[in-house]
Amino acid sequence: MKELTDLTELKDLTELNVLALSGSLRRNSYNTALLHAARKLTPVGLAIELDHELGGLPLYNQDLDGDTPPESVTALRRRVADADALLIATPEHNASVPAALKSAVDWISTAPQQPLRGKPVAVVGASPGQFGTVRAQLALRQILASVGADAVSKPDVTVFHCDTRFSDDGVLTDTYTIDLLRGLLDALLIKARAAQ
Ligand code: FNR
């Protein structure tokens, strides 16, 4: 099999679609802003669509998780299944993944068709603190591994002191972070192509 490492060739193929999930429900979220930045930096060959529906999901409840789960859950599972890859931005809440994101992953993970199994996923995160969501990202990677998703390992995009890296209107201005994001999206493209 031909090795899928030549980005120039990969970018000539059909466009792959990436579903971007933000673990923050906050209106002026840095993590959602990071996804908007990624969207603008998307390499040829990828299209990123932001999902704005996580806040509409109920908290995971096994009593609701039967043959007819809530419509919002079914719709999310479908969007994930239809995506060629995921890009997840996680804030860090008390050194871990925020409840809304964990709950969403739990809902997706119990879908009969297992849409996360083998799914290429890139993880990013932003925090005003000095660790830049390192702990939340580690926790998220552990969760993703347990459901069989295929996470991109490098580069790490842990945006520490994120309040200094965006303009007042939420545009990513930090060139170091922009370069990291570009590198991650290229790595996601390679992984998603290989998974086809
Ligand atoms: C936080 N925050 C935070 N930050 C961090 O770096 N490590 C942490 O453990 C926590 N813990 C934490 C718990 C709770 C309940 C809240 C509300 C916040 C701060 C957090 O990084 C900050 O609010 C970010 O701005 C959240 O991301 P968004 O919403 O801007 O994307």
Side-chain angles (χ1 to χ4, degrees):
M1 197 176 104
K2 191 169 178 302
E3 227 183 302
L4 292 170
T5 50
D6 185 339
L7 271 173
T8 323
E9 269 183 46
L10 294 180
K11 287 172 178 175
D12 285 342
L13 301 171
T14 331
E15 198 164 73
L16 299 179
N17 87 79
V18 177
L19 183 70
L21 303 172
S22 174
S24 175
L25 309 183
R26 200 166 73 82
R27 194 176 318 113
N28 295 321
S29 157
Y30 290 113
N31 284 280
T32 306
L34 201 54
L35 294 180
H36 282 293
R39 209 161 153 249
K40 285 195 196 139
L41 299 169
T42 311
V44 175
L46 281 187
I48 298 182
E49 185 196 337
L50 255 73
D51 193 286
H52 296 285
E53 310 293 337
L54 286 200
L57 293 174
L59 274 180
Y60 182 80
N61 179 346
Q62 203 168 346
D63 289 339
L64 303 178
D65 196 1
D67 292 340
T68 51
E71 177 46 38
S72 56
V73 169
T74 307
L76 175 65
R77 288 170 170 176
R78 197 178 311 119
R79 289 196 296 280
V80 170
D82 289 347
D84 295 303
L86 301 182
L87 171 64
I88 304 179
T90 182
E92 184 166 281
H93 280 183
N94 297 315
S96 192
V97 176
L101 180 57
K102 176 62 165 61
S103 177
V105 174
D106 287 344
W107 276 121
I108 302 163
S109 74
T110 57
Q113 73 272 36
Q114 299 275 309
L116 284 169
R117 191 165 292 167
K119 184 75 71 181
V121 183
V123 174
V124 298
S127 151
Q130 61 183 326
F131 298 124
T133 72
V134 166
R135 296 167 299 183
Q137 290 196 39
L138 279 173
L140 180 58
R141 285 177 185 282
Q142 189 174 11
I143 295 162
L144 291 171
S146 86
V147 298
D150 187 9
V152 174
S153 58
K154 287 283 171 194
D156 289 312
V157 183
T158 50
V159 188
F160 57 96
H161 296 164
C162 68
D163 47 329
T164 66
R165 301 180 198 275
F166 290 86
S167 64
D168 288 345
D169 51 355
V171 175
L172 182 64
T173 51
D174 179 57
T175 51
Y176 176 71
T177 307
I178 288 171
D179 285 348
L180 281 178
L181 262 185
R182 279 211 178 93
L184 183 71
L185 293 171
D186 282 347
L188 183 62
L189 174 60
I190 289 169
K191 194 177 269 300
R193 280 282 176 235
Q196 294 244 294

